[in-house]
Every structure is written in C-alpha cells, then in structure tokens.
Amino acid sequence: MPVHGTPDAHPVSAGAVGASRLRTASLVVVAVALALPAVVLFVGSLRPPDSPPLRRPELLPSDAGFDSYREAFHLVDLARQLTNSVVVALIATPLAVGCASLAGFVIARAPRSIARFLIGLAVIGMVVPTTALLIGRFGVYRELGVLDTMVPLIAPALFGVNALSVLLFAWSFSMLPRSVFDVAELESVSPWRAWFGIALPMARPMTIAVGTLAFAATWSDFLNPLVFVTSNEKFTVPLGLRSLQLVGGEDVSVVLAGCVVATAPVVIVFAIAQRWLFASLRGAES
C-alpha cells in the first residue's frame, strides 16, 4: 500500500546530495586556485641559482634541488631575521588577542550610548592611515629610548594590532547570553574574571581567528621595522626579503626560496588554526 509523501523523500534526498557535491566541488576549485601560486612559488625555488628564465611552465625542474635556499641564507642573515620575527610574533600575538578581547568586552558590556561612541572611535581608527601616525610614534619612541629595538614592533599589539580585531571581539561577546554575565555579577565575579574566565572561553573560535590574523599581520609587517629599526641584527623577515631582492634580485630562484621561507610559518599557523577553529565550532554545536 503506497504511503503518502514517500515519493517526495527521494527528490529531497537527491537534491541534498547534489548540493553537497556542488559545495565540495566548489571548495576543491577554490583550494586549487589558492594553492596554485604557492606550488608555483615552491617549484620555482627548487631551480638552481643563476638559472635562465623559463620559457614554459614545468611541474618539476629536471635539476631540482635546495641550492637556492642555501644561497638565500648565505646572501642575507635569514636565520637571525627568522628568529627576530618569531620572537616578535610570539610576544605580540597573545598581547594583541588579550588587548583586543578586553577592549571588545568593554564595548559589549557598556551601555548602548557608550558602546556606540567606542565603536565610532574604533571605526575612526580603521580609517586613519598608519603612515599618518609614524612621525608622532617616532617621536614618542625616541623620547622613550626604544628606537632600534623590538619594542616599536610589539607596541601595535597594545591596540590589538588593528581596530578590526576589537570590533570582531565586541561583536562576538555581544552574541553571548547576557544571563551568563548577569549571574556572574550576582555571584560577585569581578569584570576581570568575567572577561578571562567566562567570555574568552565562550568566544574561543573568535579568539583563534583573531590570533591567527594578528600573527599574520605581525609576521608580514614591513613598515614598522623599516621606520624604527636600523641595525641589521634587528631586521625581521620582511626586511630580509627586501635585502635579498636588492642583493640577488636577478637570481629569481634565490628570491623565490626566500619567499618560501618567509611564507611557510604563516601557512603552518593557518593550517593549525584551521583545525583548532573547526574543532571549536564542532564542540560549540554539540
């Protein structure tokens, strides 16, 4: 005996399968499009130094090797520059996450009029060009005696690296149930404990995302080291790549090898953060 509604179940199931396959195919296309430049960069870095320009693309050079990497580390002190960048990023990233999340928590918990005013200030901070603040910052750092140190490279983390991080945290905290904080206030939980012990753990996906963006922004920062650092011993990776381009700019494979060395840490951090982010989202949904 036929059951009413049964025939409609198969088309819905088939449509869902088709949509899933379409999403998967779209993700594959996007992944290939994003990975292709990285593959070309890596393959080009495997060519020997002083190689003539390619007339046509090749999947793998016949004389592939890592001589270009050795030459890149020989021409400039990439090892020291990598160390400097790692030190700056390891200090600046958690500092940026902490400051941005604290500012976002204040905005989310403030009365509506004050929150709007603070959001307006954050938006203005996003609009003001970074170069417009360089002269004032240079004077402040000179008076403090911290020029040509790591301090000017870490200092932007005190403002969350950029105002967008603050706004992202403010939005994330505003989505949390207010009843949780009301109960915490009745239990005489201090605002500091409410921020660190309640808000941050509940906004873990946003914390991972902002931390990843802060790491990438700090690692790729070229302007601050260029203006505030003068000693070669204090150079970070972006300045090292610029020096490598000036010294061996005609040797494309060596420059590409330096680019791979500079890009690899960011790719690794993004890959790890992606796994943490998906794990956090699955935990939030369960």
Side-chain angles (χ1 to χ4, degrees):
M1 179 177 180
V3 180
H4 294 290
T6 302
D8 295 334
H10 295 287
V12 172
S13 178
V17 172
S20 177
R21 290 178 178 176
L22 181 60
R23 285 194 299 269
T24 302
S26 302
L27 290 175
V28 170
V29 171
V30 172
V32 170
L34 294 177
L36 186 59
V39 173
V40 173
L41 181 69
F42 178 70
V43 171
S45 69
L46 296 178
R47 303 183 68 226
D50 299 322
S51 298
L54 285 175
R55 294 175 178 261
R56 54 187 175 82
E58 56 183 358
L59 294 177
L60 185 65
S62 57
D63 47 359
F66 295 96
D67 293 338
S68 295
Y69 289 87
R70 285 191 288 268
E71 185 67 15
F73 277 87
H74 174 71
L75 291 177
V76 297
D77 197 358
L78 272 180
R80 182 187 294 273
Q81 293 154 8
L82 282 170
T83 303
N84 293 338
S85 291
V86 168
V87 171
V88 172
L90 289 181
I91 298 175
T93 300
L95 186 61
V97 171
C99 293
S101 63
L102 183 58
F105 182 73
V106 171
I107 294 175
R109 297 293 297 161
R112 182 167 299 181
S113 58
I114 298 177
R116 289 177 178 175
F117 174 73
L118 295 176
I119 291 174
L121 290 180
V123 172
I124 293 174
M126 294 176 59
V127 175
V128 175
T130 304
T131 53
L133 307 175
L134 288 179
I135 297 178
R137 291 171 59 191
F138 188 90
V140 171
Y141 295 147
R142 183 177 58 184
E143 292 298 323
L144 294 176
V146 296
L147 287 176
D148 198 26
T149 67
M150 297 297 180
V151 174
L153 311 185
I154 300 173
L158 296 174
F159 305 94
V161 175
N162 53 57
L164 177 62
S165 301
V166 176
L167 294 178
L168 288 175
F169 268 117
W171 173 80
S172 180
F173 291 149
S174 65
M175 295 294 103
L176 299 179
R178 298 189 66 89
S179 58
V180 175
F181 300 101
D182 293 338
V183 172
E185 188 175 351
L186 292 175
E187 295 292 333
S188 300
V189 175
S190 66
W192 294 99
R193 288 185 59 190
W195 158 66
F196 188 78
I198 300 176
L200 270 181
M202 295 182 68
R204 187 181 179 189
M206 184 59 69
T207 303
I208 296 173
V210 171
T212 305
L213 296 176
F215 176 87
T218 303
W219 185 271
S220 60
D221 183 16
F222 176 78
L223 186 60
N224 286 317
L226 180 66
V227 175
F228 304 121
V229 174
T230 57
S231 303
N232 291 337
E233 294 78 12
K234 303 293 195 311
F235 277 12
T236 54
V237 169
L239 289 185
L241 286 181
R242 178 57 178 167
S243 301
L244 183 62
Q245 184 181 11
L246 294 175
V247 175
E250 297 181 357
D251 201 339
V252 178
S253 59
V254 174
V255 176
L256 292 179
C259 293
V260 171
V261 172
T263 306
V266 179
V267 174
I268 293 172
V269 168
F270 266 88
I272 296 174
Q274 183 184 26
R275 296 189 60 181
W276 288 350
L277 182 60
F278 287 155
S280 299
L281 292 175
R282 286 195 295 266
E285 292 175 356
S286 60

